[in-house]
Amino acid sequence: MKSPSGLTDQELVFELDGLARREREALPHFLACLSEVERRGLHLDLGHHNLFDYCVGRLKFSEGAAMRRIQSARAAAKHAEIYAYLRDGELNLGVVALLAPHLSSDNASSLLDRARGKSKREIETLVVELAHAKAESKRIPPKMEQCEQNELTFLPGESAPAPPNGGVSVQEIRPRRDAIRLESPGVLKIVFRAGPSFREKLERVRGLLGRRGGRLEEILDAVLEDYLNRRDPSRRKIPARRGP
């Protein structure tokens, strides 16, 4: 086998294509073997407390890689069509791991087909939609008179009083408002909802900030500082008086 530095450009591209194809072809078999190890309890016989410990300790995967393979192996054991999607490269381990908790015998085929070729962000949006739909299906719709009686607002940090006569609480009827709470000395916890356009703007600002835009706190702090420097009268520089 030649060293990559000794390959021509065309040979190097073909080599990578082949390696990627062989890796995809080996992945379904690996997951099937991993699932069988768990079914037989071989990881316990080898002294590992659970399958995660086996993947990290014996197979030398990172914690994140181990979790993705375990979740995917368990999902593929129930829904065999996952193997074909992984082999063809239409789904990857990260996507399967995200979808795994939401797959059932009724929706697996349609959901997996819907996820083909989508980015991780698109899959995250899909998972949120699934979780929201599941939560809505389990929620008991309140009666109209209960909604009218509980039409109250609360300041951030306040809790709603118990509804009279076993009615539905305010939190179950209305979406939670923006909240700023003191989580620990010197640390605030900020909770709010935002749409997809907010995330796009956030990612754009993160790119413009470069190294300063790693954490969400740093991004929002930079944006607030910029706004205050331009709009806050107390921060505007007072022009020096001219001499006589």
Side-chain angles (χ1 to χ4, degrees):
M1 182 181 293
K2 285 186 179 181
S3 169
S5 60
L7 298 174
T8 65
D9 293 348
Q10 189 176 16
E11 289 173 340
L12 182 59
V13 171
F14 285 160
E15 181 71 10
L16 277 177
D17 288 343
L19 290 171
R21 183 178 63 254
R22 290 193 291 273
E23 184 178 3
R24 290 196 306 270
E25 291 172 350
L27 181 57
H29 185 61
F30 172 86
L31 295 179
C33 290
L34 185 62
S35 179
E36 184 65 14
V37 165
E38 184 176 36
R39 189 186 71 81
R40 298 185 188 185
L42 297 182
H43 57 292
L44 301 175
D45 297 339
L46 294 171
H48 298 279
H49 299 296
N50 49 51
L51 194 62
F52 177 79
D53 184 47
Y54 172 78
C55 288
V56 174
R58 184 180 179 89
L59 301 183
K60 306 303 180 184
F61 286 112
S62 67
E63 294 181 352
M67 284 303 303
R68 287 190 293 272
R69 281 158 177 77
I70 292 170
Q71 291 171 326
S72 299
R74 290 171 177 171
K78 298 178 181 177
H79 312 288
E81 56 265 45
I82 290 176
Y83 293 130
Y85 284 114
L86 290 172
R87 187 181 297 110
D88 296 338
E90 295 182 327
L91 296 178
N92 57 54
L93 287 174
V95 169
V96 175
L98 285 172
L99 293 176
H102 304 279
L103 296 175
S104 67
S105 57
D106 296 329
N107 70 1
S109 296
S110 60
L111 194 55
L112 291 170
D113 186 67
R114 185 179 172 186
R116 286 190 306 166
K118 284 187 168 54
S119 65
K120 183 180 178 182
R121 180 179 297 181
E122 291 172 322
I123 296 299
E124 289 174 348
T125 302
L126 175 60
V127 167
V128 169
E129 292 175 359
L130 292 170
H132 181 71
K134 185 176 181 180
E136 287 295 325
S137 65
K138 292 183 177 181
R139 182 176 300 176
I140 301 174
K143 295 180 180 179
M144 182 60 66
E145 58 268 20
Q146 290 174 334
C147 289
E148 293 174 354
Q149 292 172 359
N150 291 326
E151 191 69 19
L152 302 174
T153 57
F154 298 91
L155 295 175
E158 290 184 343
S159 58
N165 302 323
V168 181
S169 66
V170 176
Q171 288 96 335
E172 293 175 330
I173 298 174
R174 305 188 64 186
R176 185 176 298 172
R177 293 175 174 272
D178 298 351
I180 301 178
R181 298 184 179 90
L182 185 64
E183 189 173 49
S184 61
V187 178
L188 293 175
K189 181 178 181 180
I190 303 175
V191 180
F192 65 93
R193 287 183 172 88
S197 62
F198 178 86
R199 185 170 186 174
E200 293 175 2
K201 295 172 186 175
L202 192 66
E203 294 297 336
R204 176 59 178 159
V205 174
R206 174 179 277 139
L208 293 173
L209 288 174
R211 294 183 178 180
R212 293 191 301 143
R215 299 172 54 194
L216 181 58
E217 175 189 357
E218 296 169 342
I219 298 173
L220 296 180
D221 184 70
V223 172
L224 291 173
E225 279 290 327
D226 179 69
Y227 184 88
L228 291 173
N229 287 335
R230 290 186 292 106
R231 298 296 185 92
D232 188 357
S234 64
R235 293 196 178 191
R236 292 177 184 172
K237 295 181 180 180
I238 300 176
R241 292 182 178 181
R242 295 183 179 179

